[in-house]
Amino acid sequence: MIDLQSFEVWLVTGSQHLYGEAALKQVAEDSKTIAGGLSKSGKLPVKVVFKPVVTTPEAIHSISLEANNTPACVGLIAWMHTFSPAKMWIAGLKALHKPFVHLHTQFSAELPWASIDMNFMNLHQSAHGDREFGFIGSRMRLNRKVIVGHWQDEDVLSQLTTWMRAACAWHDLQSMRIARFGDNMRDVAVTEGDKVAAQIQFGYSVYGYGVGELVKSMESIPDASIDKLVSEYNDNYLVEDKLRKGGAQHQSLREAARIELGLRAFLEQGRFNAFTTTFEDLHGLTQLPGLAVQRLMGDGYGFGAEGDWKTASLVRSMKVMGSGLKGGTSFMEDYTYDLSGKTPKVLGAHMLEVCESVASGKPSLEIHPLSIGGKSDPPRLVFNVAAGKAVNATVLDLGNRFRMVVNPVEVVEPEKPLNKLPVARAVWIPQPNLKTAAGAWILAGGAHHTGFSQSVSAEMLADFAEMANLEYLLIDNETKLDAFKKELRWNEVFYMMKSNGL
């Protein structure tokens, strides 16, 4: 469902006519070599496309408009091979609606010490050409990432990769469509928000539907399609006997399959990328969608429980960022704690809806009672999340701005078997520790719902937040609560001033 290879990033190189045609020809050749080398490195998720060297305000403005109107282009790499007077860039940067990364590099890594002359110096001026370009970005208060180093360095390629993945997610966000079945969970605050403000800032649209619309889609599913999907379940999961054909609760599995097929058809027909459900609005359904949600997330859909459209959007964006990488991404919730011992831990889970992409091993397909929702017991995938590094993130609406809070964590194996916990679950140790992480998260107003990922990094989310003009707060091993409180206060002043045009 998510294919980053269809996207591209343009390498736009700045120069000027001061140095003569021979120099400009060499600038173009060097830029072509860099674009080709980046694409052929095998390290980047999207193709890098060389664009003609820009030397005039008109050319810069034109390439910006072209980028805006090219669906495959998710952003620009800007590099000044020579000195490129930055006033030439003002109109183009004002017109540019795609994100850009400023690559501060030069064509050759090593100076030709024995032969260097002024011709070489005039041609290879990135050291101060990029500073001129950097000034105009700062003067115009433009959000961008600056990457410093030789273009073939592993660190540079890694940072470019991270930025490109964030740019792909930002591109996807502009046309994201979220289907919301039912409303918000009653009386809950953090999952509410201003959908109009979100569409203005982020581009995505949230559409509300009665659950009857889903039921109508389910009613059109033929039995043969249900038979085929149930067979797929049997092939892919460890299905407990009572759910198999002839088992006492086989019909519940068939109903889960009908929900999945109906939901999938609804989302595909409406061109939706994400969706929400709520256990407080299930009229016409025999069970709360659980297995369907887990599998649809596995195919790249974003999801938020209880009407949480902000988390649905975030999970989808994180799935785009992590596409093709080892590990998965899921909707998640900090559910309960283990406060014993020297290293307190979080047990993350939800009623049903944790994505199979984060499973350690083959999930078990089981059915258990569910006391919430007032419907029949729903089948669900049960598994432990694999040990390793991960990240939790949330987006909240503070009224005058949206905020992202991010916390890297270390997933660990459960200390003992969780034989009576009939849901997918993850046990993790947050950075720097539970006491500081939970305290900072609560002070920041972080939601109980998160996007959880073992493929997405905090740096990716920081780049994404930069593009989205999101306030970004990181809780990591360097976090101290006193300093974090000060950051919250400083940010509050900054955004109040910003909202007043200061």
Side-chain angles (χ1 to χ4, degrees), residues 214-231:
L214 173 57
V215 173
K216 183 178 179 181
S217 179
M218 291 165 48
E219 289 172 346
S220 67
I221 303 300
D223 286 344
S225 297
I226 295 174
D227 293 340
K228 183 179 179 181
L229 185 55
V230 169
S231 177

Side-chain angles (χ1 to χ4, degrees), residues 83-363:
F83 196 81
S84 177
K87 287 172 68 176
M88 296 195 305
W89 287 84
I90 293 174
L93 291 175
K94 285 178 65 177
L96 182 65
H97 296 153
K98 299 286 177 76
F100 74 93
V101 60
H102 184 181
L103 178 59
H104 183 44
T105 189
Q106 63 184 30
F107 182 70
S108 300
E110 185 177 354
L111 285 175
W113 299 102
S115 61
I116 188 170
D117 57 17
M118 284 309 300
N119 286 333
F120 182 93
M121 297 280 278
N122 286 334
L123 183 62
H124 300 276
Q125 294 191 58
S126 299
H128 75 293
D130 278 326
R131 282 170 167 78
E132 168 76 355
F133 182 73
F135 166 76
I136 206 63
S138 295
R139 178 65 177 81
M140 296 175 68
R141 276 59 171 182
L142 299 176
N143 292 350
R144 78 277 194 202
K145 183 173 188 171
V146 178
I147 300 176
V148 180
H150 191 255
W151 57 276
Q152 291 177 312
D153 289 349
E154 289 296 322
D155 179 59
V156 169
L157 291 172
S158 176
Q159 289 185 71
L160 277 173
T161 293
T162 295
W163 178 85
M164 287 176 176
R165 288 185 171 277
C168 289
W170 174 245
H171 181 81
D172 180 78
L173 195 69
Q174 306 310 296
S175 57
M176 186 185 297
R177 292 166 57 86
I178 302 172
R180 198 164 182 243
F181 295 103
D183 202 346
N184 201 61
M185 182 179 172
R186 299 179 192 114
D187 289 332
V188 176
V190 75
T191 51
E192 287 281 14
D194 188 335
K195 293 187 283 292
V196 174
Q199 185 168 350
I200 291 170
Q201 182 167 340
F202 306 125
Y204 64 76
S205 304
V206 182
Y207 297 89
Y209 295 93
V211 72
E213 302 267 10
L214 173 57
V215 173
K216 183 178 179 181
S217 179
M218 291 165 48
E219 289 172 346
S220 67
I221 303 300
D223 286 344
S225 297
I226 295 174
D227 293 340
K228 183 179 179 181
L229 185 55
V230 169
S231 177
E232 185 179 327
Y233 293 160
N234 289 323
D235 291 340
N236 292 343
Y237 310 117
L238 302 172
V239 182
E240 62 179 345
D241 289 342
K242 57 187 173 183
L243 287 175
R244 291 185 176 274
K245 190 172 183 178
Q249 292 179 287
H250 179 65
Q251 188 56 40
S252 293
L253 185 62
R254 291 185 62 83
E255 188 61 22
R258 184 183 299 278
I259 292 174
E260 177 181 338
L261 291 167
L263 182 53
R264 189 181 296 274
F266 187 97
L267 296 174
E268 288 176 352
Q269 291 167 11
R271 297 179 292 108
F272 293 106
N273 315 89
F275 65 102
T276 73
T277 62
T278 174
F279 64 85
E280 290 183 325
D281 190 351
L282 298 174
H283 183 71
L285 295 177
T286 60
Q287 58 185 247
L288 176 67
L291 178 60
V293 174
Q294 292 178 293
R295 285 175 47 84
L296 283 162
M297 271 196 287
D299 288 338
Y301 284 96
F303 173 75
E306 294 123 32
D308 190 351
W309 49 273
K310 295 189 296 298
T311 300
S313 165
L314 177 61
V315 170
R316 165 65 183 188
S317 292
M318 292 173 73
K319 283 186 173 291
V320 173
M321 287 181 231
S323 177
L325 297 178
K326 183 179 179 181
T329 294
S330 178
F331 170 80
M332 187 61 74
E333 179 171 283
D334 294 60
Y335 224 102
T336 190
Y337 295 138
D338 175 14
L339 297 177
S340 66
K342 295 182 180 179
T343 310
K345 304 174 184 67
V346 178
L347 175 58
H350 205 255
M351 291 185 296
L352 303 171
E353 310 97 341
V354 175
C355 178
E356 62 178 337
S357 67
V358 298
S360 173
K362 197 171 188 178

